[in-house]
Amino acid sequence: MQSIFSQLDTFGHKKVVYCSDPETNLKAIIAIHDTTLGPAFGSTRMWSYKTEADALEDVLRLSKGMTYKCAIAGLNMGGGYSVIIGDSRRDKTEALLRKFGRFIKNLNGEFITSEDVGTNPRDMEYIRMETEHVTGIPESLGGSGDPSPVAAKGVFMGIKACVKEQFGSDTLTGRSVIVQGVGHVGEHLVRLLREENVKVYVSDIQEDRIGQIAKKYGAQAVSNNSIFDIDADIYAPCALGGTVNTQTINKLKCSIIAGSANNQLLNEAEHGTMLLDKGILFAPDYVINAGGIINCYSELKGFSKKRTIQLTENIYDVTRNILKLSKLENISTTEAANKIAEKRIADIKKVKSSY
Ligand code: NAD
């Protein structure tokens, strides 16, 4: 097995903090990947990892992803992430979360967190009791509240940018979209699309949810296992990752893939190239689902809702630039996005070289 230091070298991390407190049963890892652009920003995931090595790998991968996500969204934040090892339904307590908050406090602002899988705004309130370096607290407490409407707005702008590239105009009227997963983000996306008279197909693993959303917004309900047979313009994955793979790419009739789910490509390099070769436009997920993090960033900076939406609308231009670079250099859209993010970090490093 690779040593911890060589894993840090592989991912390019600057710091990893192991947090242990037997009294509250806290076992957590905070990973700080890059702070060139600003303090490391990243969520806290609580998950019952099989091994400590799995937890470390997850936190290293997620925190590196945050560096790229913040950079391309134009935020002055670096990349970090944290994981608490445990079952969120069984092991989560006020004391554990507040102790974790103290570990964040001791980093003196180098790491700022928010909620993720296994944590929620209530948990952020507990962390907030010990440190100010936390976002995503409820609106009633002066926070930015539910990020999903903003995340959906960003996805919507990403879809528009792809439609402009593929069809010459960013008007969505008359286009058709399959939304897979109509949870928090999916529902808001359906609403935005229907407001522009888009034909929307909705699917989910929860049958009752499909019916409800279809009725509420005038969308067409489809069963989850038939979505790749539908002849639509756009596929918007808004459930889980890995749904874009060799099998689905070969079935897909859409010419655009743009949704909120994280890590949509099962294999980034292989499937990114496959989509490029087939002429299917893929809007990199970490770019167009950045509305959620923009919402948290606005909370930190004290921005108005209007400013949050403006920053989120900028996802249109960011996506257009990625698609242009991908075409120009004949590289996958993910490679193009990574290049633009890395260039911004390198450029800002130069700015910061003098006091
Ligand atoms: P959610 O849990 O509210 O909704 C997910 C929906 O997908 C649920 O209705 C669920 O039943 C459905 N689903 C699960 N597995 C499915 C499957 N195999 N096929 C079809 N439907 C399935 O989650 P969310 O907050 O709406 O987030 C959706 C995705 O977007 C996630 O991948 C999340 O990481 C990502 N994301 C969310 C935000 C945010 O602000 N909520 C921000 C950025 C990215």
Side-chain angles (χ1 to χ4, degrees):
M1 203 176 83
Q2 245 189 327
S3 80
I4 293 182
F5 278 113
S6 70
Q7 284 188 70
L8 302 197
D9 282 349
T10 309
F11 283 94
H13 280 74
K14 59 176 279 189
K15 188 188 274 188
V16 171
V17 181
Y18 278 76
C19 317
S20 168
D21 182 57
E23 278 185 331
T24 56
N25 284 323
L26 174 70
K27 274 201 185 89
I29 312 174
I30 300 172
I32 296 176
H33 179 255
D34 191 289
T35 52
T36 307
L37 299 177
F41 202 14
S43 305
T44 294
R45 176 168 293 188
M46 184 159 184
W47 194 252
S48 30
Y49 293 98
K50 279 207 186 95
T51 65
E52 286 169 17
D54 288 351
L56 178 65
E57 194 186 332
D58 207 27
V59 80
L60 293 180
R61 191 180 53 78
L62 290 164
S63 50
K64 183 174 180 180
M66 284 303 291
T67 297
Y68 283 77
K69 191 166 185 158
C70 290
I72 202 135
L75 309 184
N76 291 318
M77 301 297 274
Y81 227 89
S82 55
V83 294
I84 299 176
I85 301 170
D87 183 331
S88 62
R89 283 161 304 182
R90 199 189 56 204
D91 306 327
K92 204 162 57 177
T93 61
E94 176 184 348
L96 178 144
L97 289 161
R98 291 182 64 168
K99 194 70 179 186
F100 181 61
R102 294 222 151 208
F103 278 96
I104 295 176
K105 183 184 176 179
N106 290 340
L107 287 167
N108 293 312
E110 194 181 13
F111 175 67
I112 301 167
T113 200
S114 63
E115 72 251 32
D116 190 44
V117 177
T119 57
N120 56 43
R122 177 97 184 101
D123 302 333
M124 297 305 116
E125 274 183 65
Y126 286 133
I127 294 175
R128 184 77 179 78
M129 290 175 191
E130 304 302 325
T131 176
E132 67 197 65
H133 304 302
V134 55
T135 63
I137 48 179
E139 270 178 309
S140 56
L141 290 172
S144 56
D146 180 9
S148 54
V150 188
K153 179 76 182 180
V155 173
F156 180 74
M157 298 314 292
I159 289 177
K160 270 186 170 285
C162 292
V163 167
K164 169 83 178 163
E165 184 73 21
Q166 206 72 307
F167 302 106
S169 152
D170 61 20
T171 309
L172 294 184
T173 308
R175 297 278 154 223
S176 50
V177 182
I178 304 162
V179 180
Q180 181 188 33
V182 279
H184 288 94
V185 184
E187 174 171 357
H188 288 291
L189 180 62
V190 172
R191 172 179 53 76
L192 290 168
L193 293 168
R194 290 295 300 137
E195 280 167 9
E196 289 223 2
N197 281 323
V198 174
K199 165 117 187 120
V200 180
Y201 299 91
V202 289
S203 82
D204 201 290
I205 43 166
Q206 299 179 58
E207 293 289 332
D208 52 338
R209 185 88 188 138
I210 314 181
Q212 266 170 22
I213 299 293
K215 194 166 168 218
K216 187 167 170 188
Y217 298 99
Q220 188 171 327
V222 286
S223 89
N224 201 37
N225 49 21
S226 67
I227 58 168
F228 295 105
D229 302 320
I230 296 168
D231 201 353
D233 298 310
I234 300 139
Y235 164 49
C238 295
L240 302 175
T243 61
V244 182
N245 50 51
T246 307
Q247 202 192 356
T248 56
I249 294 172
N250 281 328
K251 279 190 100 179
L252 207 64
K253 296 183 172 59
C254 305
S255 62
I256 293 169
I257 301 174
S260 73
N262 281 309
N263 306 318
Q264 289 165 30
L265 303 182
L266 187 63
N267 179 312
E268 197 176 285
E270 182 189 344
H271 298 121
T273 308
M274 206 171 156
L275 292 171
L276 182 72
D277 293 344
K278 284 190 143 231
I280 299 173
L281 278 191
F282 172 65
D285 40 58
Y286 81 82
V287 176
I288 70 164
N289 72 15
I293 184 187
I294 291 172
N295 200 53
C296 291
Y297 182 71
S298 295
E299 177 180 327
L300 274 181
K301 299 282 174 188
F303 291 164
S304 64
K305 252 304 177 249
K306 191 173 165 204
R307 178 82 182 121
T308 309
I309 297 300
Q310 277 170 352
L311 287 172
T312 306
E313 283 172 348
N314 190 43
I315 288 176
Y316 178 88
D317 288 334
V318 173
T319 310
R320 294 275 300 140
N321 288 337
I322 291 166
L323 300 181
K324 270 188 215 148
L325 184 65
S326 154
K327 207 169 176 182
L328 188 75
E329 298 195 0
N330 196 32
I331 53 176
S332 75
T333 51
T334 310
E335 277 176 273
N338 292 350
K339 266 190 151 187
I340 294 172
E342 283 163 8
K343 180 168 185 318
R344 177 164 182 251
I345 296 168
D347 286 350
I348 303 305
K349 206 171 230 161
K350 290 178 211 153
V351 174
K352 294 193 171 179
S353 65
S354 63
Y355 184 68

